[in-house]
């Protein structure tokens, strides 16, 4: 097994001879997407005309289905079949894992009469058209026996429990450290339930090739668990499920798992003997897929008069479904953020009769930084310190909980450079001092931290007789740029121009990679691609020196250079196309893999950033508008300046949404969420975002992976909303600790 | 979507005649609201009469010195029309505060007036709603009703009317012209077009089911400044939390009631010499909240006072 020390050894990415690494290369699949020719899961054209499935959602949040009247729906025009728990095809029991190495388990549909959340699919209609299926689904009459529900976190904190298998983490003696601190801050924040609102709802197109082989195109972030889960559900060999997910219209964690559309499409296609398409509606997505749960966070900070933290605690209470155990780990990030000798962090979990809680972009940080980074702002004001200076005074030299060295930590540089670029010195530390017309104007900042991860992955590289390099990998691109960065890595590794590279991903028959999530995608998939590329270089070099027809014949394969679309040795050179066409006309294909170094955990490894924000608060109405926002980030080497920046600014915009508008609320009487479309669940629109920029430090983390890169997908949202909240306070003098910060709360706060 | 039939009306007379003789028929123009509601089975017409291509999109001066706006003029067309921008800026600003550019390009003037509430309980068909299913109750009354009505509501319905344009029209004393199946034309002030909910919130306007809006007529604008202000949670594509149209001494409020709300008490107070804040307080003395939307009273008061001050030129 490799060592972290190997990561710093020379390789084509470090050398970056053609300069492709770091360039703002346009998206590989961009032309397909902007011309509408990239086929998303629901749009894939199957081999024969499909039928269309529509799901009927439960109208109660907890209880039992006691009757399903389907006669009217079955008699409706074009209807092929109507399913519910009364007549669904046999599937493996929930949780079945026949294949010991499956990364997914059986997720049968309609396997019980139980309803455990509002909007749960309780019936399914298959018809010849989407319109007929939709009309018929509304005719299915479902009768329920409803049971009492509990859906509001604040009303149920008395039932909060320690999450299974977790303990609070205490360093030193927090209570003593806090009680003895000359300056104390003890405040609570709440963050609301949020929905992912991907542009593309979850959807599947399925068909069968014979009785035992199922082909599905679905929208999912991780290929293998989805393929294995469907195979387990249907009782198939895993290789007999061919799962593809070539283009994905946003995931954000919400497509880290599959939903009923996948299994229903496969089952219905088998039953009907025809391809089938199934999709959730926009309205259904809000309940039928996971959400970011609400939190109640208590922050306690103890500091000396110079602003050095002596005690730090963040305790989070959150929720998941009645029989679940997902925990929004909103407290974890602060274990590595600031120095303090006495520390206490932990979580409490309340089970509610709500849809399933789960991962959403930067789970933990996205919620947690909304409290601590505002608490730091309050503490700075209490101490009469600049918020940047307070953070610098609490910058740890090693990880404050584990004592491990940081792989690379440039948080202070992010803050200092950001402050300078943003004009932070023009901020008046006293709130409610700057007025421009109807607007109070103010500035705020917050730090950002998000862990960096590397997982095992494989990839294959091929070269054909035209010299074209093809990367193949069971990776996904959820809109992040996976296609593009893999093409850049391949081109740089093989010394060919980008136009000579093909990328094939999103397919279960390709060498497996973990997919997209946890901002590990580019590092994980890219490291395996680099390994495969290095293996292909070796194979091509050996082919060249052993081929009598090659000008490189007889040379030392270790000295063969890959450049300008060919191979070279001293002053002898040949194009890849010429070499392969002659010496290996069927092409060459090799695999490579990468896994974390054995000693990788000896370092504390994160990505960092600093957000600066200027807002206007309308003095009469309390409307908040972001005027300027700047993020400066340290996230290792950047492979593609354009796609990385786009991810970071996208995250920052979500942070603005978290601060100002994005929230959903359960109705305590029905257990349903009030926001069920994009007109009621308010994500930011263009006009909400003023001038916005993200700067990436020029850095390389040589403890991260052989490319020295880190993730950016989740860093941008981390802390962003806190910078907005702090700017609001600086503008108008009102602290709102109950997100989102809407006009009603600012007026109630004394605007 | 439920099956329905469709026809494109050749002229106004045929449109209203077909509406009169076809049970379950609805007019459709831009369709920006009706089609959404049909997809969700909230509206289930069996027949659509497309009036969107009728020659009713002219904007022309009236003999009285006002402006007649054809009912099929798009919202974008009206907001961009030179006379509207110059003489009725309150109308242009109100229209531009509503929907999104795409919606405004498609939405008609007549359809804008007849759009239905955005109340979440109206949209969720698993919930009681007297407007959607008369007699089923009001899901919003004890629900998550942060943005419900504070004026003129009833226990049967606390929904608000979502139009921005209609608020400006109410302040402008606009008149709606209609066509009826018997060949006659109707005229009614826009203030009388929409109804308060009472016990019958499903009956939203004074129009007969087969009556078609053909135009909106603006009288000459009165002396004085015109202002439209809207407060909302998001900068665009969001319904108002409150809105105010000021036209000289006339004030109309939006997002606070089941209809565009003419603030006559505030107007009277202003005419008697009250300050803007006092005038708004007079209007809102009878406002009622239901525990979650109380901020709208304060917000409306502040927004109204600010708009009045702006219209009178006393703020920048």
């Amino acid at each position: 097994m490799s060592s972290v020390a190997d990561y710093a050894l020379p390789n084509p990415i470090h050398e970056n001879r053609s300069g492709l690494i770091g360039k703002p290369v346009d998206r590989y699949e961009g032309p397909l997407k902007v011309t509408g020719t990239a086929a998303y899961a629901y749009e894939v054209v199957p081999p024969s005309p499909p039928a269309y499935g529509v799901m009927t959602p439960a109208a109660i949040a907890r209880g039992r289905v006691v009757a399903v009247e389907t006669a009217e729906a079955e008699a409706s025009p074009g209807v092929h079949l109507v399913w519910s728990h009364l007549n669904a095809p046999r599937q493996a029991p929930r949780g079945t894992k026949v294949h010991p190495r499956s990364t997914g388990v059986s997720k049968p549909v309609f396997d019980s009469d139980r309803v455990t959340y509002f909007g749960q699919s309780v019936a399914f209609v298959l018809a010849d058209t989407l319109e007929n299926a939709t009309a018929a689904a509304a005719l299915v009459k479902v009768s329920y026996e409803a049971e009492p529900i509990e859906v509001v976190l604040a009303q149920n904190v008395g039932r909060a429990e320690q999450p299974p298998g977790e303990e609070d983490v205490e360093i030193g003696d927090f209570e003593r450290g806090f009680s003895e601190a000359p300056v104390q801050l003890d405040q609570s924040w709440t963050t609301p339930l949020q929905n992912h609102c991907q542009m593309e709802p979850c959807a599947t197109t399925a068909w069968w090739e014979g009785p035992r082989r199922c082909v599905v195109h679905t929208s999912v972030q991780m290929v293998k668990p989805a393929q294995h889960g469907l195979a387990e559900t249907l009782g198939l060999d895993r290789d007999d499920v061919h799962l593809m997910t070539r283009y994905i219209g946003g995931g954000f964690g919400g497509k880290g798992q599959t939903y009923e559309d996948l299994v229903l499409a496969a089952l219905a296609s088998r039953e009907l003997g025809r391809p089938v398409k199934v999709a959730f509606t926009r309205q259904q997505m809000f309940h039928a897929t996971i959400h970011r749960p609400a939190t109640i966070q208590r922050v306690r900070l103890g500091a000396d008069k110079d602003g050095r933290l002596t005690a730090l605690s963040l305790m989070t209470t959150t929720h998941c479904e009645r029989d679940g155990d997902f925990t929004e780990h909103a407290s974890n990030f602060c274990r590595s953020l600031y120095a303090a000798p006495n520390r206490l962090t932990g979580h409490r979990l309340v089970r509610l009769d709500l849809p399933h809680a789960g991962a959403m972009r930067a789970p933990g940080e996205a919620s947690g930084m909304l409290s601590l980074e505002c608490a730091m702002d309050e503490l700075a004001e209490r101490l009469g310190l600049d918020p940047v200076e307070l953070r610098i005074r609490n910058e740890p030299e090693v990880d404050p909980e584990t004592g491990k060295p940081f792989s690379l930590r440039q948080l202070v540089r992010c803050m200092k450079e950001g402050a300078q670029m943003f004009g932070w010195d023009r901020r008046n530390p006293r709130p409610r001092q700057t007025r421009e017309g109807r607007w109070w104007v103010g500035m705020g900042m917050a730090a950002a931290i998000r862990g960096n991860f590397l997982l095992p992955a494989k990839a294959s590289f091929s070269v054909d007789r035209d010299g074209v390099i093809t990367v193949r990998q069971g990776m996904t691109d959820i809109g992040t740029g996976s296609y593009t960065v893999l093409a850049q890595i391949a081109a740089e590794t093989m010394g060919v121009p980008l136009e000579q590279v093909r990328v094939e991903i999103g397919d279960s028959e390709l060498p497996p990679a973990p997919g997209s999530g946890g901002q590990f995608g580019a590092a994980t998939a890219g490291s395996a691609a680099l390994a495969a590329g290095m293996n292909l270089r070796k194979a091509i070099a050996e082919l060249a020196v052993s081929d009598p027809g090659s000008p490189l014949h007889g040379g030392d394969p270790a000295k063969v250079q890959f450049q300008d679309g060919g191979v070279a040795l001293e002053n002898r050179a040949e194009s890849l196309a010429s070499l392969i066409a002659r010496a290996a006309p069927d092409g060459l294909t090799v695999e490579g893999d990468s896994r974390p170094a054995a000693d990788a955990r000896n370092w504390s490894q994160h990505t960092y950033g600093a957000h600066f924000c200027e807002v206007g608060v309308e003095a009469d109405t309390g409307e908040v508008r972001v005027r300027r926002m700047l993020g400066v980030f340290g996230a290792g080497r950047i492979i593609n300046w354009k796609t990385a920046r786009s991810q970071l600014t996208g995250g920052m915009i979500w942070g603005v949404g978290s601060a100002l508008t994005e929230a959903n609320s359960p109705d305590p009487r029905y257990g349903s969420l009030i926001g069920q479309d994009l007109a009621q669940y308010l994500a930011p629109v263009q006009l909400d975002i003023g001038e916005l920029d993200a700067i990436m430090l020029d850095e390389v983390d040589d403890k991260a992976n052989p490319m020295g890169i880190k993730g950016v997908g989740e860093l941008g949202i981390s802390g962003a909303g806190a910078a907005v909240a702090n700017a609001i306070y600086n503008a108008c003098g009102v602290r709102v600790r109950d997100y989102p910060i809407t006009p009603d709360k600012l007026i109630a706060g004394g605007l | 979507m439920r099956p329905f039939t469709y026809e494109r009306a050749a002229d106004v007379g045929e449109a209203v005649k077909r509406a009169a003789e076809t049970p379950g028929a609805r007019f459709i123009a831009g369709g920006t609201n009706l089609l959404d509601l049909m997809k969700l089975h909230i509206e289930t017409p069996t027949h659509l009469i497309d009036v969107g291509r009728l020659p009713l999109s002219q904007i022309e001066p009236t003999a009285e010195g006002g402006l007649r706006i054809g009912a099929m003029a798009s919202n974008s067309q009206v907001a961009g029309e030179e006379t509207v921008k110059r003489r009725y800026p309150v109308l242009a600003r109100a229209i531009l505060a509503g929907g999104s550019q795409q919606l405004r390009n498609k939405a008609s003037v007549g359809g804008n007036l007849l759009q239905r509430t955005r109340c979440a309980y109206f949209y969720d068909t698993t919930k009681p709603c007297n407007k959607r299913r008369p007699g089923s109750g009001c899901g919003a009354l004890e629900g998550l009703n942060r943005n419900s009505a504070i004026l003129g509501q009833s226990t049967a319905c606390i929904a608000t009317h979502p139009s921005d344009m209609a608020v400006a029209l109410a302040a402008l004393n606009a008149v709606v012209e209609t066509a009826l199946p018997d060949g006659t034309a109707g005229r009614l002030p826009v203030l009388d077009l929409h109804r308060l909910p009472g016990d019958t919130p499903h009956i939203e306007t004074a129009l007969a089911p087969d009556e078609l809006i053909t135009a909106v007529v603006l009288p000459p604008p009165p002396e004085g400044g015109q202002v439209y202000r809207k407060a909302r949670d998001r900068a665009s594509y969001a319904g108002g939390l409150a809105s105010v149209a000021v036209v000289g001494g006339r004030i109309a409020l939006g997002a606070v009631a089941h209809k565009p709300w003419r603030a006559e008490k505030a107007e009277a107070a202003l005419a008697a010499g009250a300050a803007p804040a006092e005038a708004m307080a007079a209007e809102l003395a009878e406002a009622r909240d239901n525990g979650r939307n109380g901020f709208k009273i304060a917000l409306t008061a502040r927004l109204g006072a600010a708009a009045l001050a702006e219209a009178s030129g006393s703020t920048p």
Side-chain angles (χ1 to χ4, degrees):
Chain A
M1 190 172 275
S2 66
S3 155
V4 161
D6 299 339
Y7 291 164
L9 297 176
N11 68 38
I13 307 302
H14 287 320
E15 290 165 5
N16 196 17
R17 289 187 186 179
S18 64
L20 270 177
I21 300 302
K23 262 185 129 172
V25 172
D26 288 345
R27 280 178 195 275
Y28 177 87
E29 80 289 12
L32 294 179
K33 285 184 174 169
V34 298
T35 55
T37 49
Y40 289 79
Y42 200 75
E43 301 165 334
V44 167
V45 178
S48 57
Y52 296 82
V54 167
M55 291 165 275
T56 300
I60 64 164
R62 180 179 179 174
R64 220 164 56 78
V65 174
V66 292
V68 185
E69 291 175 42
T70 59
E72 207 183 338
E74 281 163 352
S76 190
V79 170
H80 296 300
L81 59 84
V82 181
W83 282 339
S84 69
H85 74 283
L86 297 171
N87 65 341
R90 207 170 59 80
Q91 304 149 73
R94 186 166 294 274
T96 299
K97 187 172 153 180
V98 170
H99 307 279
R101 295 176 65 187
S102 273
T103 54
V105 300
S106 171
K107 288 176 76 171
V109 294
F110 306 144
D111 60 329
S112 154
D113 62 352
R114 291 293 306 168
V115 174
T116 60
Y117 59 90
F118 183 95
Q120 176 186 326
S121 294
V122 290
F124 172 76
V125 175
L126 188 67
D128 56 347
T129 65
L130 174 63
E131 290 75 15
N132 278 340
T134 304
L139 299 175
V140 177
K141 302 270 187 309
V142 183
S143 307
Y144 306 94
E145 196 173 86
E147 297 166 13
I149 56 170
E150 295 169 310
V151 294
V152 179
L153 175 63
Q155 292 169 2
N156 290 279
V157 289
R159 294 196 290 110
E161 301 169 286
Q162 195 86 21
E166 284 186 28
E167 290 179 3
D168 297 344
V169 175
E170 180 161 23
I171 309 282
D173 183 340
F174 171 76
E175 294 294 345
R176 185 169 165 184
F178 181 68
S179 64
E180 291 177 355
V183 182
Q184 296 172 359
L185 184 134
D186 182 352
Q187 288 290 358
S188 291
W189 278 260
T190 61
T191 65
L193 186 155
Q194 289 188 336
N195 297 96
H196 298 76
C197 298
Q198 305 96 335
M199 290 265 276
E200 179 206 20
C202 293
T204 301
T205 298
W207 64 87
W208 289 70
E209 294 173 346
R212 298 287 308 168
R213 181 171 163 83
C214 182
V215 178
V216 289
H217 289 262
T218 193
S219 187
V220 70
Q221 292 171 228
M222 285 93 175
V223 173
K224 279 289 162 186
Q227 178 204 18
H228 294 174
L230 183 59
E232 294 285 1
T233 307
L234 302 178
L236 296 175
D237 287 339
R238 294 178 304 169
D239 290 346
D240 287 332
V241 169
H242 185 186
L243 184 141
M244 281 162 279
T245 180
R246 293 207 174 115
Y247 305 104
I248 300 168
F252 312 121
K255 294 176 183 168
Q257 62 184 80
T258 60
Y259 300 94
E260 286 86 343
D261 57 299
L262 176 66
V263 173
L264 281 169
L267 286 173
S269 173
R270 187 177 67 188
E271 179 80 15
L272 193 65
R274 250 172 87 176
V276 165
K277 291 177 184 284
V278 181
F280 286 98
T281 66
R282 172 62 62 195
Q283 284 75 13
Q284 289 172 348
M285 286 293 289
F286 284 83
H287 294 104
T289 68
I290 59 172
H291 58 257
R292 190 198 301 281
T295 67
I296 301 168
Q297 303 174 41
R298 183 185 185 193
V299 179
R300 283 175 289 171
L301 299 176
D304 65 21
K305 301 268 186 214
D306 294 328
R308 282 181 184 81
L309 291 172
T310 52
L312 183 162
S313 172
L314 171 52
M315 296 296 293
T316 299
T317 304
T318 181
H319 63 84
C320 69
E321 63 274 19
R322 189 66 74 168
D323 56 354
D325 58 10
F326 175 85
T327 304
E328 183 71 41
H329 285 119
S331 300
N332 282 1
F333 75 95
C334 72
R335 292 173 184 162
S336 299
L337 188 52
Y338 298 121
N342 303 294
R343 321 167 65 87
L344 175 65
T345 46
H347 303 88
R348 298 292 181 271
L349 193 53
V350 182
R351 268 82 174 190
L352 297 174
D353 301 303
L354 281 176
H356 294 192
M360 187 193 285
R361 200 170 195 173
E365 283 82 352
S367 308
M369 298 201 83
L370 289 170
S371 70
L372 183 79
E373 284 304 289
C374 289
M376 290 295 279
D377 199 68
E378 295 193 30
L379 183 64
E381 185 184 34
R382 192 90 67 83
L383 291 160
L385 279 178
D386 184 273
V388 172
E389 175 60 24
L390 174 66
R391 287 167 172 86
I392 290 172
R393 289 189 187 183
N394 290 288
E395 175 71 5
E397 289 185 4
V398 295
D399 188 286
E401 301 222 345
T402 64
K404 291 177 182 175
F406 294 113
S407 62
L408 177 65
R409 175 173 166 124
Q410 300 208 73
L411 173 58
V412 170
R413 194 177 147 204
C414 290
M415 291 191 289
K416 284 184 171 171
E417 294 198 7
Q420 192 171 9
M421 281 185 268
F422 193 72
W424 180 249
D425 59 344
R426 294 201 299 272
R427 170 183 180 264
N428 187 331
R430 286 187 59 209
R432 206 175 170 100
Q433 298 299 311
T434 307
R435 181 79 181 246
E436 290 183 16
R438 307 194 319 237
W439 299 85
W440 293 111
V441 179
M443 294 188 207
M445 64 82 57
I449 183 173
R450 171 70 184 160
N452 189 58
F453 310 97
L454 184 70
L455 301 176
K458 294 183 178 176
S460 81
F461 263 51
S462 301
V463 58
D464 68 13
R465 58 186 306 154
D466 296 322
V468 170
I469 305 295
T470 302
V471 189
R472 293 187 177 88
Q473 191 174 43
M475 176 57 185
T476 56
D477 189 326
I478 57 175
T480 46
S482 308
Y483 276 107
T484 316
V485 297
L486 286 171
Q488 288 174 271
I489 291 166
E492 192 58 61
T493 302
M494 302 309 300
V496 301
L498 271 176
E499 298 71 38
Q500 216 170 311
V501 175
R502 304 283 176 272
V503 181
E504 294 176 12
I505 60 173
D507 188 324
S508 62
E509 302 200 332
L510 301 178
S516 304
Q519 75 172 15
F520 55 64
T524 297
S527 295
L530 173 61
M534 295 309 290
N535 289 343
L536 183 61
R537 281 168 61 119
K538 192 159 173 249
I540 292 172
E542 281 166 2
L543 182 71
V545 299
S546 60
D547 175 25
S550 169
L552 279 63
H553 183 245
D556 178 357
K559 291 189 176 158
V560 171
Q561 302 287 314
F562 287 78
Q563 58 198 37
D564 304 327
V567 285
L569 193 57
E570 290 149 8
N571 61 350
R572 295 173 282 158
E574 183 179 23
S575 74
L576 285 180
S578 157
L579 170 66
I580 300 300
R582 182 185 64 251
D586 293 334
L588 293 176
T589 296
V590 300
E591 287 207 1
D593 63 3
S594 93
R595 49 186 58 249
D599 52 353
R601 289 179 171 273
N602 293 351
W603 282 268
S604 173
Q605 192 171 109
H606 304 271
T607 57
Y608 299 94
H611 299 277
F612 294 85
C613 181
E614 180 180 290
V615 301
V617 180
E618 216 280 349
D620 292 307
T621 64
E623 294 167 286
V624 178
R625 301 290 177 253
V626 171
R627 292 157 57 108
R628 297 190 295 137
M629 194 160 179
L630 172 71
V632 178
F633 301 98
R637 168 180 278 132
I638 300 301
I639 294 186
N640 184 320
W641 184 88
K642 184 186 278 186
T643 55
R645 180 182 174 280
S646 174
Q647 287 224 69
L648 288 164
T649 53
M652 291 165 70
I653 290 167
W654 203 328
V656 173
S658 295
L660 299 181
T661 57
E662 287 192 55
N664 219 333
S665 304
D667 187 315
R669 301 165 299 168
Y670 306 108
S672 53
L673 298 168
I674 190 76
Q676 298 180 24
D677 59 43
L678 298 180
Q680 290 177 340
Y681 184 91
L682 301 181
V685 296
Q686 186 71 29
L687 205 54
D688 289 295
I689 306 301
E691 194 184 307
L692 182 82
D693 202 4
I695 307 281
M696 294 157 281
L697 297 185
D698 185 14
E699 65 172 41
V700 176
D701 189 336
D702 64 7
K703 309 291 189 298
N705 52 64
M707 299 178 293
I709 72 168
K710 298 190 198 175
V712 290
E714 300 184 326
L715 178 60
I717 187 175
S718 303
V724 179
N726 292 336
I728 291 170
Y729 173 73
N730 183 248
C732 70
V734 181
R735 286 262 186 219
V736 175
R737 300 186 188 88
D738 172 27
Y739 289 98
I741 306 173
T742 44
D744 47 328
K745 295 172 190 172
L746 285 167
I747 290 173
L751 176 71
Chain B
M1 200 179 284
R2 304 265 171 87
F4 61 90
T5 51
Y6 168 93
E7 70 180 297
R8 187 178 294 163
D11 56 49
V12 170
E14 186 195 274
V16 291
K17 179 169 162 288
R18 292 287 295 139
E21 65 195 25
T22 317
R26 289 290 308 266
F27 297 119
I28 184 168
T32 59
N33 191 213
L34 182 60
L35 289 179
D36 279 355
L37 296 171
M38 288 171 67
K39 288 176 187 173
L40 297 170
H41 301 156
I42 295 164
E43 294 258 18
T44 52
T46 53
H47 184 67
L48 290 183
I49 301 166
D50 189 345
V51 295
R53 301 187 193 204
L54 295 182
L56 296 174
S57 57
Q58 291 285 98
I59 302 176
E60 59 202 1
T62 62
E64 295 75 31
L67 203 62
R68 172 179 281 102
I69 300 169
M72 292 309 133
S74 76
N75 286 195
S76 295
Q77 184 191 342
V78 179
E81 215 277 336
E82 283 307 321
T83 312
V84 174
K85 287 199 285 190
R86 198 177 66 249
R87 299 184 67 209
Y88 304 95
V90 66
L91 179 58
R93 290 199 189 121
I95 290 172
L96 293 175
S100 66
Q101 184 68 55
Q102 295 90 332
L103 289 170
R104 294 191 294 268
N105 288 344
K106 197 78 186 125
S108 67
V109 166
N112 185 316
L113 286 170
L114 299 180
Q115 63 182 305
R116 307 197 68 189
T117 186
R118 300 296 190 270
C119 177
Y121 295 88
F122 174 69
Y123 271 78
D124 181 345
T125 54
T126 67
K127 303 296 186 287
C129 173
N130 288 322
K131 190 181 278 299
R132 177 168 31 77
R133 211 163 65 233
S136 61
C138 173
L141 196 58
E142 293 173 2
L144 305 176
N145 47 25
R146 169 176 175 267
N147 201 11
S148 54
I150 53 172
L151 289 164
Q153 69 269 43
S154 69
T155 52
C157 183
I158 58 173
T160 60
H161 195 267
S163 173
D164 288 289
M165 183 190 79
V167 181
L169 293 180
L172 286 166
N173 279 347
V175 172
V176 171
E177 292 184 345
T178 68
L180 287 150
D182 62 5
T184 60
R187 277 177 70 87
L188 78 166
V190 79
L191 275 171
D192 296 338
L193 175 64
H194 302 96
R195 297 159 48 107
L196 287 176
D199 295 331
T200 55
H202 60 290
I203 305 171
E204 295 176 349
T205 71
L207 299 181
D210 48 14
E211 190 171 3
L212 179 68
I213 297 178
T214 53
V216 171
V217 178
L218 308 181
E223 292 289 310
Q226 298 184 20
V227 170
Y228 189 75
R229 291 281 305 277
K230 176 183 182 181
R232 46 185 151 178
D233 284 320
R234 170 167 79 177
S236 173
Y237 188 44
L241 299 168
S243 71
V244 183
V246 179
V247 176
R250 301 203 291 256
I251 310 162
L253 306 176
V256 294
H258 199 254
K259 58 180 289 187
W261 187 268
R262 187 66 178 269
E264 288 167 356
K265 293 195 184 81
E267 291 173 9
L270 270 185
E278 293 166 347
M280 290 308 298
E283 187 65 40
L284 294 164
E286 286 174 24
R288 284 175 292 129
D289 73 82
N290 42 38
R292 289 179 188 266
N293 65 348
F295 78 98
K296 290 184 66 165
I297 299 174
L299 177 62
T300 306
R302 296 165 75 126
L303 189 68
L308 285 168
E310 188 181 334
S312 66
S314 59
T315 53

